[in-house]
Amino acid sequence: MHGTRRPLSAKPDSRSISIRIARDPNDLMLVAAIRAAVYLAEQDCPIDEEFDGNDLVAAHFIGFIGAEPAACLRVRFFGEFAKIERLAVRHQFRRSRISFKLVQASFEYIKRKGFKKVYGHAQDRLVNFWSHFGAKPLGHNRKLTFSDFSYTEMVLDLEPVADAITLDSDPYVIIRPEGDWDRPGVLDVSSDRGASSPLRTA
């Protein structure tokens, strides 16, 4: 998974699944459109409960089938864990594997950032879906209710990865675009110019 866009000349297979991280306002508009179709239209969620003030402090993943935005997922980060939330799949794509691919891509991203635990709220009817990934209810009867649905608190332990980003990582890796840590970014290229600014300190 990379966060960059497909070249305009490339025509994707109409059934191929790809995942990318939202990078700009256009991507966030796609996320909002998918969630509005699923949560506002289908589940009758009030708009101020769906768009809860956390969208600009989170990472968003968009899943495509061919060129069509089909699903999205949000991840927020806390001291000891990452929280997965707002998984939404448009109704015409629910027979595909996109929800699984989206969750797997988010787990790879979370592990790369060095987190070893994922927390989430699963609608009670979807607990089995999350159990496919190894998630388990957090404790006996750990339930909560919001936006007219009952949820179960779920937790998942992730296997650490050798290339997790830490303070010992290459500093150019740390400043690369989110999710594109293995490819040189624009600031890597700028390093070829050296410290040439007239404002540099002696």
Side-chain angles (χ1 to χ4, degrees):
M1 176 202 67
H2 289 294
T4 55
R5 298 179 186 279
R6 182 184 294 111
L8 292 176
S9 59
K11 292 199 173 183
D13 177 338
S14 63
R15 293 165 300 179
S16 67
I17 294 175
S18 61
I19 311 293
R20 77 167 185 241
I21 294 175
R23 293 236 182 269
D24 58 32
N26 289 329
D27 284 345
L28 290 177
M29 288 173 67
L30 293 178
V31 168
I34 294 166
R35 282 170 42 193
V38 173
Y39 293 117
L40 302 188
E42 290 185 42
Q43 297 186 14
D44 202 25
C45 180
I47 194 167
D48 61 338
E49 293 178 12
E50 175 53 33
F51 298 103
D52 59 353
N54 285 319
D55 287 320
L56 297 183
V57 292
H60 299 267
F61 294 79
I62 309 170
F64 293 82
I65 294 185
E68 191 67 16
C72 62
L73 178 148
R74 184 172 85 181
V75 182
R76 289 190 296 138
F77 297 93
F78 297 85
E80 297 179 357
F81 63 93
K83 184 175 187 295
I84 288 187
E85 51 198 13
R86 299 303 201 269
L87 173 60
V89 180
R90 291 168 57 195
H91 71 89
Q92 62 266 51
F93 300 110
R94 289 188 190 142
R95 291 183 180 268
S96 73
R97 300 281 297 167
I98 196 161
S99 59
F100 289 90
K101 299 279 188 184
L102 201 56
V103 171
Q104 288 166 347
S106 73
F107 285 170
E108 293 306 311
Y109 171 84
I110 290 166
K111 289 193 290 187
R112 190 72 189 273
K113 289 180 82 76
F115 287 84
K116 299 173 187 171
K117 195 173 289 289
V118 175
Y119 169 77
H121 303 145
Q123 284 187 14
D124 291 345
R125 65 188 177 87
L126 296 174
V127 165
N128 286 340
F129 170 81
W130 291 102
S131 69
H132 286 298
F133 300 99
K136 296 179 176 152
L138 185 55
H140 179 65
N141 203 28
R142 291 287 297 256
K143 292 185 179 288
L144 65 162
T145 302
F146 58 87
S147 296
D148 307 313
F149 284 86
S150 175
Y151 293 83
T152 298
E153 289 182 280
M154 306 287 285
V155 69
L156 169 71
D157 292 314
L158 297 175
E159 289 292 323
V161 292
D163 60 350
I165 297 170
T166 69
L167 285 174
D168 294 323
S169 298
D170 182 325
Y172 287 104
V173 169
I174 295 171
I175 61 175
R176 288 174 186 164
E178 283 289 306
D180 262 348
W181 296 298
D182 296 323
R183 299 193 294 187
V186 66
L187 297 179
D188 293 73
V189 176
S190 80
S191 69
D192 292 340
R193 299 196 305 265
S196 59
S197 170
L199 300 176
R200 69 188 184 277
T201 56

